[in-house]
Amino acid sequence: MAACWQRWTGRYVLSVATGAGAVYLLYKTIRAGLDSPPGGAEPLSIARLAVEHQGSAGGESRELRKLLAALGQRQDDYCKSLVLNSITRCVYLLETEAAACTYEDIRLVASCLDEKDQEVKLQALNALKAFSGIRKFRIKIQEYIPKVLELVTSTWDSETHAAGLRLLNGLPLPDHLHPLLRRAVPALLDFLQTDGTLAQVQVLKLLVKMAQKEDLLYDILNCQVQPDFLSLLQPSQPGELLREMLLLVEALNAGCRSAAYRAARRQHGERSLHAALFGDGSRLADRLLAAFAHPEEEVQLRACKVILGLRLRKEDADADADATADAGDTALSSHSFDTTFGASFESPFFSGGEDVC
């Protein structure tokens, strides 16, 4: 009988632990351990917590309110980071309680961005990201975008980059913040070429959003990059990174095709992102062809869309050249896109001899 009870209890606890309340139970376990003095009573078991959680599922736990109150108290950096981490989990789990929070609670969490300890700042970013999922808090959290940008660009910590950029990617970027974003472009491209995959993906998502803003497009394209920038498009890269890289190339190419950008005829530096992607000697065509060998179909389709977009851009350039020639302007120089991609696109693969999409 005891053996049967033990097996049933194990299955019950496992089903609870793998359900929606798993993180909440984990939080309760950690909280119980923190609240109990060293050498004190035996910590609560997961089975007991499961029973308590089942019994109180219909009521309001007020755990989030308690955590916010604790955050407002004076404590060391380690405890503050733990409290912020628990707040993040509770916001995701206790939606009703989270929605009942106030702007003052957001201000309290955001104030932790000014702490000296890097872990506290990181956990504060995560907590703000959780709150940003609640519509009524987004405008309030937008007020801290300058602080988040400063925090992200002033450190080389990859985890902070990922957390801060994940927060920014979940918020609208008002026009009045474009000057701040413009100044952040060099740092973002540096992070893209040096950080780990998690941070790189978040950098790319932000750059894609920024590339769709006409007044930021040139700053992105003219920013200097390393000579091996296109290594980010190697088929050996993780699929998520490749997808976001191809989205960025697609967004930049679409921006260059816009009438306003073509009319401006801007000049780009030799080591600029524009030169790396679209300039003389760029190996972008080779990278895009190699992307078709990637096992993920979405990567292949995205590469196909980029190639078609580049082909359309070449046709735009040819049309501009013809129009200028008809007007008698013989001083028009050959567009760099012709030199870079002309030979690659002469093959039947790109000229319609084979349907790649």
Side-chain angles (χ1 to χ4, degrees):
M1 183 68 178
C4 291
W5 169 255
Q6 187 175 11
R7 286 195 299 271
W8 181 88
T9 303
R11 287 195 298 270
Y12 172 74
V13 171
L14 181 60
S15 66
V16 173
T18 56
V23 179
Y24 182 71
L25 297 180
L26 178 61
Y27 154 71
K28 292 285 287 182
T29 305
I30 297 174
R31 178 66 183 271
L34 290 174
D35 290 344
S36 61
E42 182 180 354
L44 294 174
S45 67
I46 188 69
R48 179 180 166 188
L49 287 172
V51 173
E52 290 181 355
H53 178 64
Q54 291 294 98
S56 62
E60 188 174 322
S61 69
R62 296 190 60 80
E63 287 297 333
L64 184 53
R65 176 52 49 198
K66 294 174 186 176
L67 287 166
L68 288 165
L71 185 63
Q73 299 173 0
R74 188 173 182 178
Q75 52 194 309
D76 60 36
D77 293 334
Y78 177 72
C79 289
K80 186 169 290 188
S81 66
L82 285 179
V83 171
L84 285 166
N85 182 268
S86 297
I87 287 173
T88 301
R89 296 174 183 275
C90 279
V91 171
Y92 286 124
L93 283 168
L94 309 175
E95 296 182 6
T96 303
E97 289 189 41
C101 290
T102 66
Y103 291 154
E104 186 62 22
D105 296 324
I106 301 299
R107 186 204 63 78
L108 175 62
V109 173
S111 68
C112 295
L113 296 175
D114 295 319
E115 296 287 339
K116 293 182 179 180
D117 186 78
Q118 194 69 28
E119 183 64 22
V120 173
K121 295 178 182 179
L122 174 63
Q123 297 302 333
L125 290 170
N126 290 335
L128 288 174
K129 177 63 175 73
F131 275 114
S132 71
I134 302 173
R135 183 178 296 274
K136 74 173 187 177
F137 293 133
R138 288 179 186 170
I139 299 299
K140 181 65 177 177
I141 295 174
Q142 275 182 238
E143 297 177 11
Y144 301 102
I145 288 180
K147 170 60 70 175
V148 175
L149 269 174
E150 178 189 356
L151 182 58
V152 168
T153 56
S154 63
T155 180
W156 282 97
D157 181 70
S158 184
E159 284 188 274
T160 302
H161 294 166
L165 294 170
R166 190 180 294 114
L167 172 58
L168 293 177
N169 286 326
L171 297 171
L173 300 176
D175 290 348
H176 71 272
L177 293 176
H178 286 190
L180 291 177
L181 292 166
R182 183 176 293 111
R183 290 197 290 270
V185 168
L188 292 175
L189 284 170
D190 281 342
F191 301 155
L192 178 58
Q193 297 166 96
T194 57
D195 270 345
T197 302
L198 290 177
Q200 287 175 315
V201 167
Q202 296 303 321
V203 170
L204 287 167
K205 288 183 177 181
L206 182 58
L207 286 173
V208 168
K209 289 177 65 175
M210 293 169 60
Q212 296 167 359
K213 310 291 185 180
E214 186 176 317
D215 59 329
L216 296 176
L217 179 61
Y218 176 72
D219 297 277
I220 297 173
L221 284 167
N222 201 45
C223 191
Q224 290 193 347
V225 295
Q226 298 174 9
D228 63 342
F229 180 82
L230 287 181
S231 64
L232 292 167
L233 278 173
Q234 289 179 347
S236 58
Q237 297 282 11
E240 186 178 14
L241 179 62
L242 276 174
R243 290 195 301 272
E244 295 299 331
M245 268 296 298
L246 291 167
L247 277 172
L248 177 61
V249 176
E250 184 179 358
L252 293 174
N253 183 60
C256 290
R257 287 189 61 209
S258 69
Y261 200 86
R262 287 161 57 194
R265 298 193 182 181
R266 297 180 181 270
Q267 300 298 314
H268 305 91
E270 293 182 1
R271 294 181 56 194
S272 66
L273 177 58
H274 183 278
L277 294 175
F278 312 123
D280 297 339
S282 172
R283 303 300 299 272
L284 179 59
D286 295 335
R287 298 298 187 197
L288 293 174
L289 286 173
F292 285 102
H294 196 274
E296 293 188 22
E297 183 179 0
E298 188 175 348
V299 172
Q300 300 172 23
L301 292 174
R302 184 62 58 186
C304 180
K305 288 190 65 175
V306 173
I307 289 172
L308 293 179
L310 292 171
R311 182 67 182 182
L312 291 174
R313 183 177 169 193
K314 181 180 184 299
E315 293 174 359
D316 292 341
D318 291 342
D320 288 345
D322 292 341
T324 305
D326 291 341
D329 184 1
T330 59
L332 179 65
S333 61
S334 177
H335 196 284
S336 61
F337 179 76
D338 274 329
T339 304
T340 305
F341 294 94
S344 296
F345 288 151
E346 290 302 322
S347 69
F349 187 76
F350 292 104
S351 61
E354 180 175 346
D355 186 0
V356 298
C357 297

